[in-house]
Amino acid sequence: MDLYAAIRGRRSVRRFASASIEPAVLERIIDAATWAPSGGNAQTWRFVIVTEQARIAKLKTVSPGLIGEPGAVVAVCQDLAAARAKGSALGEVLLAPCDAAMAAQNLLLAAYAEGLGTCTVASFTHRAVARLLKLPETVEPILLVSVGVPDETPKAPARKTEGIVHWEVYGG
Amino acid sequence: MDLYAAIRGRRSVRRFASASIEPAVLERIIDAATWAPSGGNAQTWRFVIVTEQARIAKLKTVSPGLIGEPGAVVAVCQDLAAARAKGSALGEVLLAPCDAAMAAQNLLLAAYAEGLGTCTVASFTHRAVARLLKLPETVEPILLVSVGVPDETPKAPARKTEGIVHWEVYGG
């Protein structure tokens, strides 16, 4: 799929057909995620791919934004101890979420190219997700991404244009 | 350009040929950035495109990670007041940097497809950058992205594989 077509065509999908996803496809989209850049090449991201429907159901109870019946949920996590060791406070506080998000964006685009729908979720109870996924103490879930066969074709929300782009200085 | 080719082929570039970049190309890559998702469709990102070499030189003095002679620097910013109004504390603290980073990732991929090199920079003095770009008080620079005609072809850093991907639970 053409890059610009993927960038412009990807939508957040919240209704999924009940269908499982080939593990090889999930591996490809996670591989795409790991080709994102990371601050100081830290690569301190960690991915937990959940396909067990019982576990997804439990995740949903602690994640208000996680809706529909996705075939998989990918928890994009960061080892904050590793991030701090690599990039000190900046690594833990800023690079960790930014690196996770850049990896997630690759994942969303790759999933779209694979014919899958995704939705990124930031609203969830971190401790509960950590417990359900048996995360070590230093590993923090940053974003959840639901992945599934889309059962809707959402329209693109209007892009805001006013005051978004500036030249040379703000307001320019 | 094929999506996977862009995802896997993009490198961080820090040596640039001295060449200016067509404004239309810069507009295209910023447009790509704005097609990223945002938490609650907030779209509170702000982009300042700097092409004046004198201003880029000043940015470099306060941004240790900003090296080489890029034709442009894009400051990916967030209006934190708008982010908080839209998404409360989560919006300001987590969605703002994550949304900015996802937009930046689109920008990096689009620039690569346009034949340009980029490097993402998180290490800079925020107040000094804000002053140089005349940012309003509520607008925070999250990441700087240098953009230029590449004068090097960096090899891909090895991808870490151990302990990165887990199935169902961490360690699984």
Side-chain angles (χ1 to χ4, degrees):
Chain A
M1 177 180 284
D2 174 70
L3 169 68
Y4 277 115
I7 284 176
R8 294 184 185 134
R10 180 213 56 80
R11 298 274 78 74
S12 292
V13 169
R14 295 174 179 88
R15 285 182 57 184
F16 303 100
S18 88
S20 61
I21 307 167
E22 288 289 326
V25 175
L26 290 168
E27 282 168 0
R28 271 204 299 279
I29 67 176
I30 299 292
D31 180 72
T34 67
W35 284 97
S38 58
N41 190 31
Q43 300 183 51
T44 48
W45 41 49
R46 306 287 184 262
F47 303 90
V48 184
I49 308 167
V50 182
T51 65
E52 295 169 356
Q53 286 301 308
R55 199 176 303 275
I56 290 175
K58 284 180 186 163
L59 282 173
K60 286 166 70 174
T61 66
V62 297
S63 310
L66 190 56
I67 55 179
E69 309 288 339
V73 173
V74 177
V76 183
C77 308
Q78 277 282 359
D79 187 326
L80 294 183
R84 174 173 277 274
K86 179 78 185 178
S88 70
L90 184 75
E92 183 175 353
V93 173
L94 183 67
L95 301 183
C98 283
D99 291 354
M102 293 174 104
Q105 180 63 13
N106 273 6
L107 191 158
L108 303 186
L109 294 172
Y112 180 69
E114 300 280 357
L116 296 170
T118 54
C119 188
T120 308
V121 175
S123 172
F124 54 87
T125 308
H126 283 228
R127 288 190 63 155
V129 167
R131 194 178 62 244
L132 284 169
L133 302 184
K134 301 185 178 173
L135 301 183
E137 200 172 327
T138 64
V139 175
E140 180 78 10
I142 309 288
L143 296 167
L144 302 179
V145 181
S146 56
V147 185
V149 176
D151 192 31
E152 62 169 350
T153 310
K155 286 186 187 165
R159 295 292 116 183
K160 295 183 181 175
T161 54
E162 202 172 335
I164 301 294
V165 183
H166 307 260
W167 288 84
E168 311 307 342
V169 295
Y170 199 94
Chain B
M1 177 179 286
D2 175 69
L3 169 68
Y4 277 116
I7 284 176
R8 294 185 185 133
R10 180 212 56 80
R11 298 273 79 76
S12 291
V13 169
R14 295 175 178 87
R15 284 183 56 185
F16 303 100
S18 88
S20 61
I21 307 168
E22 288 288 327
V25 175
L26 291 168
E27 281 169 2
R28 270 205 299 281
I29 67 176
I30 298 293
D31 180 71
T34 66
W35 284 97
S38 59
N41 188 34
Q43 301 184 51
T44 48
W45 42 49
R46 305 289 183 262
F47 303 90
V48 185
I49 309 167
V50 182
T51 64
E52 295 169 356
Q53 287 301 309
R55 199 177 305 272
I56 290 175
K58 285 182 187 163
L59 282 173
K60 287 167 68 174
T61 65
V62 297
S63 310
L66 189 57
I67 56 181
E69 309 289 339
V73 173
V74 177
V76 184
C77 309
Q78 277 282 1
D79 187 325
L80 294 182
R84 173 174 277 273
K86 178 78 184 175
S88 70
L90 184 75
E92 183 174 356
V93 172
L94 183 66
L95 301 182
C98 284
D99 291 354
M102 294 174 103
Q105 181 63 14
N106 272 6
L107 191 158
L108 303 186
L109 294 172
Y112 180 69
E114 300 279 356
L116 296 170
T118 53
C119 188
T120 308
V121 176
S123 173
F124 54 87
T125 307
H126 283 228
R127 286 188 63 155
V129 166
R131 195 177 61 243
L132 284 169
L133 303 185
K134 301 185 180 174
L135 301 183
E137 200 172 328
T138 64
V139 175
E140 180 78 10
I142 309 289
L143 296 167
L144 301 179
V145 180
S146 55
V147 184
V149 175
D151 191 32
E152 63 170 348
T153 310
K155 286 187 187 163
R159 295 292 115 183
K160 295 183 181 173
T161 54
E162 202 172 335
I164 301 292
V165 183
H166 308 260
W167 288 84
E168 311 308 341
V169 295
Y170 200 93

PDB file of all heavy atoms in Angstrom, chain B residues 90-108:
ATOM      1  N   LEU B  90      -4.924  13.880  31.862  1.00  0.00           N
ATOM      2  CA  LEU B  90      -4.419  12.867  30.921  1.00  0.00           C
ATOM      3  C   LEU B  90      -4.081  13.510  29.582  1.00  0.00           C
ATOM      4  O   LEU B  90      -3.070  13.181  28.949  1.00  0.00           O
ATOM      5  CB  LEU B  90      -5.466  11.762  30.720  1.00  0.00           C
ATOM      6  CG  LEU B  90      -5.041  10.584  29.843  1.00  0.00           C
ATOM      7  CD1 LEU B  90      -4.086   9.659  30.592  1.00  0.00           C
ATOM      8  CD2 LEU B  90      -6.255   9.785  29.350  1.00  0.00           C
ATOM      9  N   GLY B  91      -4.934  14.426  29.162  1.00  0.00           N
ATOM     10  CA  GLY B  91      -4.710  15.118  27.898  1.00  0.00           C
ATOM     11  C   GLY B  91      -3.413  15.895  27.891  1.00  0.00           C
ATOM     12  O   GLY B  91      -2.649  15.851  26.930  1.00  0.00           O
ATOM     13  N   GLU B  92      -3.167  16.593  28.995  1.00  0.00           N
ATOM     14  CA  GLU B  92      -1.976  17.440  29.052  1.00  0.00           C
ATOM     15  C   GLU B  92      -0.701  16.618  29.225  1.00  0.00           C
ATOM     16  O   GLU B  92       0.315  16.887  28.593  1.00  0.00           O
ATOM     17  CB  GLU B  92      -2.123  18.435  30.214  1.00  0.00           C
ATOM     18  CG  GLU B  92      -0.958  19.398  30.304  1.00  0.00           C
ATOM     19  CD  GLU B  92      -1.167  20.467  31.367  1.00  0.00           C
ATOM     20  OE1 GLU B  92      -2.260  20.506  31.984  1.00  0.00           O
ATOM     21  OE2 GLU B  92      -0.230  21.249  31.595  1.00  0.00           O
ATOM     22  N   VAL B  93      -0.788  15.597  30.096  1.00  0.00           N
ATOM     23  CA  VAL B  93       0.438  14.906  30.505  1.00  0.00           C
ATOM     24  C   VAL B  93       0.814  13.780  29.541  1.00  0.00           C
ATOM     25  O   VAL B  93       1.982  13.573  29.233  1.00  0.00           O
ATOM     26  CB  VAL B  93       0.272  14.351  31.938  1.00  0.00           C
ATOM     27  CG1 VAL B  93       1.437  13.476  32.332  1.00  0.00           C
ATOM     28  CG2 VAL B  93       0.101  15.507  32.910  1.00  0.00           C
ATOM     29  N   LEU B  94      -0.185  13.046  29.049  1.00  0.00           N
ATOM     30  CA  LEU B  94       0.127  11.880  28.216  1.00  0.00           C
ATOM     31  C   LEU B  94      -0.296  12.045  26.763  1.00  0.00           C
ATOM     32  O   LEU B  94       0.483  11.767  25.852  1.00  0.00           O
ATOM     33  CB  LEU B  94      -0.532  10.618  28.796  1.00  0.00           C
ATOM     34  CG  LEU B  94      -0.192   9.340  28.010  1.00  0.00           C
ATOM     35  CD1 LEU B  94       1.282   9.003  28.123  1.00  0.00           C
ATOM     36  CD2 LEU B  94      -1.053   8.173  28.442  1.00  0.00           C
ATOM     37  N   LEU B  95      -1.542  12.486  26.531  1.00  0.00           N
ATOM     38  CA  LEU B  95      -2.007  12.567  25.147  1.00  0.00           C
ATOM     39  C   LEU B  95      -1.203  13.597  24.363  1.00  0.00           C
ATOM     40  O   LEU B  95      -0.898  13.385  23.189  1.00  0.00           O
ATOM     41  CB  LEU B  95      -3.501  12.901  25.091  1.00  0.00           C
ATOM     42  CG  LEU B  95      -4.447  11.921  25.788  1.00  0.00           C
ATOM     43  CD1 LEU B  95      -5.900  12.353  25.608  1.00  0.00           C
ATOM     44  CD2 LEU B  95      -4.242  10.508  25.262  1.00  0.00           C
ATOM     45  N   ALA B  96      -0.867  14.704  24.995  1.00  0.00           N
ATOM     46  CA  ALA B  96      -0.149  15.761  24.268  1.00  0.00           C
ATOM     47  C   ALA B  96       1.172  15.237  23.690  1.00  0.00           C
ATOM     48  O   ALA B  96       1.398  15.353  22.482  1.00  0.00           O
ATOM     49  CB  ALA B  96       0.055  16.983  25.156  1.00  0.00           C
ATOM     50  N   PRO B  97       2.059  14.649  24.507  1.00  0.00           N
ATOM     51  CA  PRO B  97       3.296  14.139  23.890  1.00  0.00           C
ATOM     52  C   PRO B  97       3.051  12.970  22.937  1.00  0.00           C
ATOM     53  O   PRO B  97       3.697  12.888  21.885  1.00  0.00           O
ATOM     54  CB  PRO B  97       4.150  13.705  25.099  1.00  0.00           C
ATOM     55  CG  PRO B  97       3.210  13.614  26.247  1.00  0.00           C
ATOM     56  CD  PRO B  97       2.105  14.577  25.984  1.00  0.00           C
ATOM     57  N   CYS B  98       2.131  12.079  23.284  1.00  0.00           N
ATOM     58  CA  CYS B  98       1.879  10.922  22.397  1.00  0.00           C
ATOM     59  C   CYS B  98       1.320  11.376  21.051  1.00  0.00           C
ATOM     60  O   CYS B  98       1.750  10.895  19.999  1.00  0.00           O
ATOM     61  CB  CYS B  98       0.942   9.924  23.067  1.00  0.00           C
ATOM     62  SG  CYS B  98       1.738   8.933  24.355  1.00  0.00           S
ATOM     63  N   ASP B  99       0.351  12.292  21.079  1.00  0.00           N
ATOM     64  CA  ASP B  99      -0.215  12.778  19.816  1.00  0.00           C
ATOM     65  C   ASP B  99       0.858  13.468  18.972  1.00  0.00           C
ATOM     66  O   ASP B  99       0.910  13.287  17.747  1.00  0.00           O
ATOM     67  CB  ASP B  99      -1.357  13.767  20.083  1.00  0.00           C
ATOM     68  CG  ASP B  99      -2.596  13.112  20.677  1.00  0.00           C
ATOM     69  OD1 ASP B  99      -2.637  11.873  20.792  1.00  0.00           O
ATOM     70  OD2 ASP B  99      -3.532  13.855  21.040  1.00  0.00           O
ATOM     71  N   ALA B 100       1.675  14.262  19.633  1.00  0.00           N
ATOM     72  CA  ALA B 100       2.750  14.950  18.908  1.00  0.00           C
ATOM     73  C   ALA B 100       3.701  13.942  18.271  1.00  0.00           C
ATOM     74  O   ALA B 100       4.146  14.109  17.130  1.00  0.00           O
ATOM     75  CB  ALA B 100       3.519  15.875  19.860  1.00  0.00           C
ATOM     76  N   ALA B 101       3.999  12.883  19.014  1.00  0.00           N
ATOM     77  CA  ALA B 101       4.946  11.882  18.511  1.00  0.00           C
ATOM     78  C   ALA B 101       4.348  11.090  17.354  1.00  0.00           C
ATOM     79  O   ALA B 101       5.042  10.759  16.388  1.00  0.00           O
ATOM     80  CB  ALA B 101       5.361  10.941  19.647  1.00  0.00           C
ATOM     81  N   MET B 102       3.063  10.769  17.438  1.00  0.00           N
ATOM     82  CA  MET B 102       2.430  10.041  16.334  1.00  0.00           C
ATOM     83  C   MET B 102       2.399  10.907  15.077  1.00  0.00           C
ATOM     84  O   MET B 102       2.652  10.429  13.965  1.00  0.00           O
ATOM     85  CB  MET B 102       1.029   9.579  16.747  1.00  0.00           C
ATOM     86  CG  MET B 102       1.088   8.536  17.863  1.00  0.00           C
ATOM     87  SD  MET B 102      -0.533   8.061  18.529  1.00  0.00           S
ATOM     88  CE  MET B 102      -0.772   6.467  17.729  1.00  0.00           C
ATOM     89  N   ALA B 103       2.102  12.175  15.254  1.00  0.00           N
ATOM     90  CA  ALA B 103       2.137  13.097  14.114  1.00  0.00           C
ATOM     91  C   ALA B 103       3.556  13.177  13.549  1.00  0.00           C
ATOM     92  O   ALA B 103       3.751  13.166  12.323  1.00  0.00           O
ATOM     93  CB  ALA B 103       1.643  14.476  14.551  1.00  0.00           C
ATOM     94  N   ALA B 104       4.532  13.254  14.448  1.00  0.00           N
ATOM     95  CA  ALA B 104       5.925  13.327  13.999  1.00  0.00           C
ATOM     96  C   ALA B 104       6.315  12.088  13.202  1.00  0.00           C
ATOM     97  O   ALA B 104       7.023  12.172  12.200  1.00  0.00           O
ATOM     98  CB  ALA B 104       6.860  13.503  15.201  1.00  0.00           C
ATOM     99  N   GLN B 105       5.841  10.929  13.630  1.00  0.00           N
ATOM    100  CA  GLN B 105       6.190   9.705  12.905  1.00  0.00           C
ATOM    101  C   GLN B 105       5.639   9.750  11.482  1.00  0.00           C
ATOM    102  O   GLN B 105       6.340   9.384  10.524  1.00  0.00           O
ATOM    103  CB  GLN B 105       5.674   8.467  13.660  1.00  0.00           C
ATOM    104  CG  GLN B 105       6.009   7.132  12.997  1.00  0.00           C
ATOM    105  CD  GLN B 105       7.501   6.870  12.904  1.00  0.00           C
ATOM    106  OE1 GLN B 105       8.312   7.536  13.545  1.00  0.00           O
ATOM    107  NE2 GLN B 105       7.870   5.910  12.066  1.00  0.00           N
ATOM    108  N   ASN B 106       4.415  10.207  11.314  1.00  0.00           N
ATOM    109  CA  ASN B 106       3.879  10.395   9.959  1.00  0.00           C
ATOM    110  C   ASN B 106       4.772  11.338   9.155  1.00  0.00           C
ATOM    111  O   ASN B 106       5.053  11.094   7.978  1.00  0.00           O
ATOM    112  CB  ASN B 106       2.459  10.980  10.023  1.00  0.00           C
ATOM    113  CG  ASN B 106       1.383   9.920  10.135  1.00  0.00           C
ATOM    114  OD1 ASN B 106       1.690   8.740  10.280  1.00  0.00           O
ATOM    115  ND2 ASN B 106       0.128  10.333  10.071  1.00  0.00           N
ATOM    116  N   LEU B 107       5.197  12.411   9.813  1.00  0.00           N
ATOM    117  CA  LEU B 107       6.042  13.408   9.138  1.00  0.00           C
ATOM    118  C   LEU B 107       7.357  12.770   8.678  1.00  0.00           C
ATOM    119  O   LEU B 107       7.806  12.986   7.544  1.00  0.00           O
ATOM    120  CB  LEU B 107       6.285  14.569  10.094  1.00  0.00           C
ATOM    121  CG  LEU B 107       6.924  15.846   9.569  1.00  0.00           C
ATOM    122  CD1 LEU B 107       6.593  17.015  10.496  1.00  0.00           C
ATOM    123  CD2 LEU B 107       8.424  15.741   9.420  1.00  0.00           C
ATOM    124  N   LEU B 108       7.973  11.961   9.541  1.00  0.00           N
ATOM    125  CA  LEU B 108       9.243  11.313   9.182  1.00  0.00           C
ATOM    126  C   LEU B 108       9.067  10.400   7.977  1.00  0.00           C
ATOM    127  O   LEU B 108       9.904  10.374   7.069  1.00  0.00           O
ATOM    128  CB  LEU B 108       9.765  10.458  10.352  1.00  0.00           C
ATOM    129  CG  LEU B 108      10.000  11.098  11.718  1.00  0.00           C
ATOM    130  CD1 LEU B 108      10.649  10.081  12.656  1.00  0.00           C
ATOM    131  CD2 LEU B 108      10.838  12.347  11.627  1.00  0.00           C
TER     132      LEU B 108
END
